Amino acid sequence: MDYFYLTLCVFNAYLSYTATMLNIIAIYAIRKTLSLPKNLKTLLLSLAVSDLGVGLLAQPMHVAHIMDSQQNNDTNTVIHLAFRIPVNLFIPASLLSVTALCADRFFAIYLHLRYQELVTHKRVAAVVISIWVISALISLIRFFIPKNVMYVSFVIIDAACIITATSLSVKLYLTLRHHINQSHVPQVAQNDQGESVQRKRRSAMASLYVYLVFIVCYLPDDCLLIIIANNSEPRIDVNLLQFYTLTLVFLNSTLNPLIYCWKMKRIQHTIVGTLRNLFSNPT
């Protein structure tokens, strides 16, 4: 096997392990953190489950797909088709979940006191269900439309999510800066309202970090999809490049749990407390 393909296989196998383990820990911590608002918890769980699916299913199939491509140039092999099912299910789910998370944190800061009235848990749950229904439809439709049409559709969906997430993240950042500049008291009083504002700011900053990593990981693959969509017979080097850009997309599933477990103190405390109890009571 070529050195470049071998490197990709090893790196993706490692990322598959890290994405799986980190997201399992993240899901456990998110569920155990009772102080997390229901809306935020639901959206984070949706993102973590989609990222877990990437690590558990999509990346192992990506490794098998890379190995198969060295022996068979046919894009209609069983391995290739099996690889596309989890990719077309979990990648759109992650993409839409990040966009929904950015929207939720923007509304939490922008609407402030009206947030709980307008953004109810039932509406957020309906959005999450819609995300997974849309992702499942994308995974199924892939088998009934031409390849070029599929790539164009992916570019349109990705572009819509990127534009929406970018717009919301910029507004969120400006709103956060405005709130910080308007704050004349060095430390917010330790009451329920002040604590709530501080937590909203932290979760909003976490969503901004998730967004930035998301852009870095997804944009190269979207640019390559545009190139492939305009070429009916992509060259071998383009196919190799797609293996790399997909690996970068998969890397996002490892980075996401690290970001919100690092930036959201409540989740971080849950993980630290769990580990402390685990090591203090080994039996």
Side-chain angles (χ1 to χ4, degrees):
M1 180 181 290
D2 188 274
Y3 171 78
F4 294 105
Y5 290 97
L6 180 60
T7 302
L8 274 174
C9 288
V10 173
F11 188 55
N12 274 278
Y14 174 75
L15 287 181
S16 174
Y17 174 78
T18 56
T20 300
M21 297 306 298
L22 288 173
N23 281 288
I24 288 174
I25 295 171
I27 291 171
Y28 175 83
I30 292 168
R31 293 188 62 193
K32 286 292 183 179
T33 307
L34 301 178
S35 59
L36 275 180
K38 285 185 178 181
N39 292 352
L40 180 58
K41 180 179 286 191
T42 301
L43 291 170
L44 286 176
L45 282 174
S46 176
L47 179 58
V49 169
S50 62
D51 287 338
L52 175 62
V54 169
L56 201 59
L57 297 174
Q59 282 196 279
M61 290 306 303
H62 186 44
V63 173
H65 181 219
I66 294 172
M67 296 174 65
D68 183 62
S69 68
Q70 290 291 280
Q71 301 175 356
N72 195 337
N73 291 326
D74 186 7
T75 58
N76 292 318
T77 62
V78 173
I79 291 179
H80 177 81
L81 296 176
F83 158 71
R84 286 296 171 186
I85 294 174
V87 168
N88 295 338
L89 174 63
F90 294 115
I91 294 300
S94 292
L95 188 68
L96 293 169
S97 294
V98 169
T99 306
L101 180 63
C102 291
D104 177 74
R105 292 301 86 195
F106 168 72
F107 289 133
I109 295 293
Y110 184 76
L111 296 175
H112 194 39
L113 297 178
R114 298 175 58 209
Y115 170 76
Q116 291 184 345
E117 176 187 349
L118 297 176
V119 187
T120 63
H121 184 249
K122 286 185 178 180
R123 290 176 179 175
V124 172
V127 169
V128 170
I129 292 172
S130 300
I131 285 173
W132 285 95
V133 170
I134 291 170
S135 301
L137 289 175
I138 291 173
S139 182
L140 292 175
I141 290 174
R142 178 258 179 270
F143 296 101
F144 303 100
I145 60 176
K147 184 184 295 185
N148 283 8
V149 176
M150 177 190 67
Y151 285 135
V152 170
S153 300
F154 285 169
V155 170
I156 293 173
I157 294 171
D158 288 3
C161 290
I162 288 173
I163 292 171
T164 302
T166 301
S167 175
L168 290 169
S169 296
V170 170
K171 290 180 179 179
L172 176 58
Y173 175 77
L174 294 176
T175 304
L176 280 173
R177 293 299 303 172
H178 176 72
H179 285 181
I180 293 172
N181 291 336
Q182 291 296 317
S183 177
H184 300 289
V185 182
Q187 289 186 342
V188 179
Q190 292 300 317
N191 54 31
D192 292 340
Q193 185 176 356
E195 188 177 24
S196 175
V197 171
Q198 289 299 317
R199 286 180 173 180
K200 284 180 180 179
R201 287 179 181 176
R202 292 193 193 101
S203 61
M205 288 303 299
S207 73
L208 285 175
Y209 278 100
V210 169
Y211 158 76
L212 290 173
V213 172
F214 151 74
I215 287 293
V216 171
C217 290
Y218 275 79
L219 209 53
D221 190 61
D222 289 336
C223 294
L224 187 63
L225 285 178
I226 296 174
I227 296 174
I228 295 176
N230 293 323
N231 292 273
S232 57
E233 294 294 335
R235 300 191 307 274
I236 297 299
D237 57 344
V238 175
N239 290 333
L240 175 60
L241 191 57
Q242 189 178 29
F243 287 143
Y244 279 103
T245 57
L246 267 177
T247 300
L248 189 59
V249 169
F250 294 148
L251 174 63
N252 185 246
S253 295
T254 292
L255 297 178
N256 279 338
L258 290 176
I259 293 170
Y260 48 74
C261 289
W262 164 50
K263 295 300 294 183
M264 295 183 184
K265 298 299 182 183
R266 288 170 287 184
I267 298 177
Q268 185 183 112
H269 291 160
T270 300
I271 294 174
V272 171
T274 301
L275 292 175
R276 185 181 293 118
N277 292 334
L278 182 64
F279 287 107
S280 62
N281 300 294
T283 57

